[in-house]
Amino acid sequence: MTTQIAHIVGVERPFGTEIAEALEGRGVTLAEGDTAPRIDVLVVNRPVVITQLTFADLTDADFDTAMNDLLYSVVQTVQSALPRLSAGSRVVLVGSRGHLGAWGGAHLMAASAALAGVMRTMALELAGNGLSVNLVAAGFIGTPWDTPASRQHVANAVCMLAEANTGLVGEIIIVDGGRSLRMSESRRQ
């Protein structure tokens, strides 16, 4: 059996350490930088730190920053890794549940929604090459949800999607402790 090789982009961000440790704990070898000749699992980690910027206060620069960090960089990362991904490789994007909306930070929610749409398109286009692409939509960093246990739950979801033959392609796995079901984000904080 060949050892799986994973490359994590954004390991220095929240969830990164937990994801790395969880994958290593399952016997996956982590590639350093762009040195691995092949990648079996590509994890692109872009969690969202919620802000209290209201819609009326947002600037074009706020939107540009969010789109660059949470969308464009993810697309560029996956595109640059494509030559090292082969049939059966898995791409796991880690973002936020922002595609559902939240109070404050419309620019972050817009970037999160765009990432969800791009992920589904990637999944459709790359499935013919035997690749699976999925998104872990986590709760927001810096909120009461953000605990060591919740970060481990995100890492566990990534590990599940990193396994071969899960049958999951183009899916959004929401890992937020049920907060999105409570609709608490629809009320002013």
Side-chain angles (χ1 to χ4, degrees):
M1 180 174 173
T2 306
T3 302
Q4 284 188 326
I5 298 173
H7 179 54
I8 304 172
V9 178
V11 72
E12 73 286 354
R13 294 178 182 226
F15 308 134
T17 300
E18 293 85 357
I19 292 168
E21 290 173 355
L23 287 171
E24 285 182 316
R26 288 171 171 80
V28 176
T29 300
L30 298 183
E32 294 294 326
D34 293 329
T35 59
R38 80 168 206 277
I39 300 171
D40 301 305
V41 180
L42 174 64
V43 178
V44 185
N45 181 36
R46 290 293 186 269
V48 171
V49 178
I50 196 78
T51 70
Q52 294 304 312
L53 280 175
T54 63
F55 178 75
D57 295 329
L58 289 173
T59 66
D60 289 349
D62 294 324
F63 274 97
D64 288 345
T65 299
M67 289 297 184
N68 283 329
D69 186 45
L70 303 176
L71 179 65
Y72 304 149
S73 69
V74 174
V75 170
Q76 292 165 349
T77 297
V78 175
Q79 285 175 330
S80 68
L82 283 175
R84 297 185 292 149
L85 298 171
S86 59
S89 292
R90 277 88 52 218
V91 177
V92 182
L93 308 178
V94 180
S96 81
R97 64 181 182 93
H99 65 284
L100 301 174
W103 179 262
H107 58 309
L108 302 170
M109 303 315 121
S112 296
L115 181 61
V118 167
M119 178 279 300
R120 300 241 338 141
T121 300
M122 277 194 261
L124 286 167
E125 291 186 10
L126 299 176
N129 298 335
L131 302 177
S132 68
V133 184
N134 293 288
L135 171 66
V136 174
F140 301 114
I141 302 301
T143 65
W145 168 85
D146 184 15
T147 65
S150 63
R151 288 183 179 213
Q152 191 59 53
H153 294 158
V154 170
N156 293 341
V158 170
C159 287
M160 188 239 346
L161 293 171
E163 292 179 11
N165 303 317
T166 63
L168 297 171
V169 179
E171 297 299 328
I172 299 171
I173 309 295
I174 298 175
V175 181
D176 71 350
R179 281 172 170 65
S180 57
L181 295 174
R182 294 185 196 119
M183 298 302 292
S184 62
E185 296 296 336
S186 67
R187 295 185 300 274
R188 186 173 179 102
Q189 301 292 318

